[in-house]
């Protein structure tokens, strides 16, 4: 079957950006396959006709709306498995994000379907979808074909760009169809107590022009004051980012994490302080226009892909840099 079902995650009355990208990508692929792109939203009374229907603007022709807890994987697996069984979709597509990974994996197990994760591009060949996934530290691309009746494709964060399906009619709407889902026993084991979004000082690191990123070399959570001061000195559209090592250690919020399991950024300037440059970090920031690294180890891998490398103790260099930028700005 040539139809594609896309999971659209939503929070506080807005559809997630990566989900919008997945719907746009699903619409493009479905039209090449000669099918339709459908979306599925899961939630409660907050899922208005307007919110669900708005996915039409990104190319969904129909939106299935299931009343079940949003933000937990198993209820979404139940809802998607039912919609796919009833409608015969050939593919399920997810934007990047941890919930998509969990739902996609659960759905694959439920349907006995093939799954491709961390996908960066999808093509059509011989009337079927072929997913591209970087392998070997992003140095090569593998092509994944599906033998199962349903193929499950989970994008890497920011892999699919949200586009307006018809710029002439930006408000486009889709048919909304309510689906009754009987939750499986495992879907009733967990309850959503609270849903929230963690932000790093309420800044959007994906949209920042200048990112000052801190790693384990900062030594402790308080070390982030140094990089915060530097970001403040740059002013304008600048923000602080972090490695996974430090967010896992609780030194900085997860929302600031860059890399394979964090965010992908492409600022004009990326300044790394005390970051080794592990491949999982590199994949999230390698497309920055200018990369500057401060590291006391001259052999740190980050210097291999930096435009400017400063070998030395960040505790001495960062405050001096901050002063110099402040002085230059007057
Ligand atoms: C499946 C998987 C997914 C992952 N996803 C991510 C991800 O999304 N993002 C991510 O960042 N990581 C990710 N990681 C972790 C990654 O492999 C590295 O462990 C992590 O990026 C290292 O963080 P770091 O550079 O802060 O710390 P370290 O590797 O410990 O580097 C600290 C650096 O600071 C330098 N330093 C120490 N003191 C000073 C000083 N005083 N002055 C200057 N320099 C100093 C050291 O020389 C060193 O190079 C992932 C790992 C796995 C297995």
């Amino acid at each position: 079957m040539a139809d594609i079902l896309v999971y659209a995650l939503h929070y506080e009355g807005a559809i997630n950006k990566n989900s919008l990208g997945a719907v746009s990508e699903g619409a493009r692929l479905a039209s090449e396959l000669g099918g339709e792109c459908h979306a599925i939203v899961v939630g409660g009374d907050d899922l208005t006709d307007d919110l669900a229907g708005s996915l039409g603007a990104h190319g969904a022709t129909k939106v299935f709306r299931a009343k079940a807890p949003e933000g937990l994987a198993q209820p979404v697996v139940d809802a998607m498995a039912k919609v796919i069984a009833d409608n015969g979709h050939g593919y399920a597509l997810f934007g990047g994000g941890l919930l998509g990974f969990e739902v996609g994996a659960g759905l694959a197990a439920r349907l006995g379907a093939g799954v491709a994760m961390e996908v960066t591009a999808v093509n059509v060949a011989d009337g079927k979808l072929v997913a591209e996934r970087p392998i070997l530290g992003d140095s090569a691309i593998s092509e994944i074909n599906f033998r199962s009746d349903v193929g499950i494709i989970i994008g890497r964060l920011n892999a699919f760009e949200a586009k307006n399906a018809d710029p002439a009619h930006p408000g486009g709407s889709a048919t909304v169809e309510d689906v009754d889902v009987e939750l499986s026993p495992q879907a009733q084991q967990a309850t959503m107590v609270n849903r929230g979004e963690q932000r790093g000082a309420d800044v959007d690191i994906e949209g920042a022009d200048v990112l000052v990123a801190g790693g384990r070399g900062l030594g402790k959570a308080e070390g982030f004051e140094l990089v915060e001061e530097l970001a403040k000195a740059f002013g304008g559209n600048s923000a602080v980012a972090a490695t996974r090592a430090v967010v896992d250690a609780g030194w900085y919020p997860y929302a600031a994490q860059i890399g394979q399991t964090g965010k992908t950024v492409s600022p004009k300037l990326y300044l790394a302080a005390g970051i080794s440059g592990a491949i999982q970090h590199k994949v999230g920031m390698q497309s920055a226009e200018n990369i500057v690294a401060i590291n006391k180890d001259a052999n740190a891998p980050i210097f291999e892909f930096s435009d400017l490398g400063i070998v030395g103790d960040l505790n001495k260099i960062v405050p001096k840099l901050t002063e110099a930028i402040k002085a230059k700005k007057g």
Side-chain angles (χ1 to χ4, degrees):
M1 213 7 203
D3 292 345
I4 300 175
L5 182 66
V6 182
Y7 170 55
L9 174 73
H10 61 98
Y11 176 66
E12 288 191 336
I15 306 281
N16 170 278
K17 187 176 122 233
N18 276 281
S19 297
L20 292 178
V23 172
S24 301
E25 184 69 358
R28 179 186 75 81
L29 294 166
S31 92
E32 278 194 48
L33 291 173
E36 289 187 17
C37 172
H38 300 155
I40 178 163
V41 284
V42 176
D45 294 336
D46 53 330
L47 266 179
T48 59
D49 286 350
D50 281 354
L51 182 62
S54 71
L55 289 163
H58 295 276
T61 51
K62 190 192 276 188
V63 178
F64 295 97
R65 176 170 56 188
K67 221 170 191 173
E70 167 73 326
L72 296 170
Q74 285 305 323
V76 184
V77 172
D78 286 350
M80 291 189 78
K82 176 175 168 49
V83 168
I84 290 172
D86 290 351
N87 298 273
H89 294 94
Y91 300 93
L93 180 65
F94 298 83
L98 293 179
L99 189 63
F101 278 115
E102 207 179 336
V103 176
L107 191 61
R110 182 79 61 88
L111 302 178
V115 59
M117 292 194 168
E118 286 278 333
V119 168
T120 50
V122 188
N123 304 305
V124 176
D126 298 329
K128 292 185 170 177
L129 295 191
V130 181
E132 288 187 3
R133 181 193 200 278
I135 51 167
L136 301 173
D138 279 9
S139 61
I141 299 282
S142 67
E143 289 193 338
I144 299 163
N145 295 273
F146 296 96
R147 285 186 300 197
S148 47
D149 293 341
V150 181
I152 297 177
I153 299 173
I154 308 172
R156 181 179 274 186
L157 213 59
N158 296 329
F160 309 128
E161 194 189 339
K163 290 185 192 137
N164 212 305
D166 180 2
H169 303 95
S173 67
T175 316
V176 179
E177 185 177 315
D178 286 311
V179 242
D180 281 331
V181 186
E182 201 179 313
L183 293 183
S184 58
Q186 62 267 34
Q188 298 173 48
Q189 299 289 310
T191 315
M192 178 62 72
V193 178
N194 196 5
R195 238 182 127 196
E197 196 176 11
Q198 194 182 35
R199 285 176 175 266
D202 233 22
V203 288
D204 167 21
I205 62 166
E206 286 152 300
D209 288 331
V210 176
L211 276 180
V212 183
R216 199 148 36 193
L218 291 173
K220 52 184 186 297
E222 292 71 28
F224 267 90
E225 286 164 19
L226 284 180
V227 285
E228 278 172 348
E229 277 299 304
L230 181 52
K232 211 169 4 152
F234 277 115
N237 192 10
S238 56
V240 171
T243 63
R244 178 163 160 177
V246 295
V247 301
D248 278 351
W251 295 1
Y252 217 66
Y254 273 102
Q257 184 194 323
I258 285 173
Q260 183 184 322
T261 44
K263 291 180 177 158
T264 304
V265 294
S266 47
K268 293 191 175 123
L269 172 64
Y270 184 88
L271 197 151
I275 292 178
S276 60
I279 181 67
Q280 297 90 352
H281 186 77
K282 182 185 173 193
V283 294
M285 44 63 75
Q286 61 193 349
S287 56
E289 260 175 59
N290 298 287
I291 299 171
V292 176
I294 304 169
N295 198 303
K296 68 177 183 185
D297 175 6
N299 295 315
I302 196 154
F303 289 135
E304 289 164 22
F305 51 93
S306 296
D307 299 292
L308 176 68
I310 306 166
V311 180
D313 183 354
L314 65 87
N315 294 300
K316 292 184 183 147
I317 296 164
V318 175
K320 285 202 172 124
L321 198 53
T322 305
E323 285 315 311
I325 288 165
K326 278 187 188 162
K328 180 131 177 95
K329 290 196 153 194

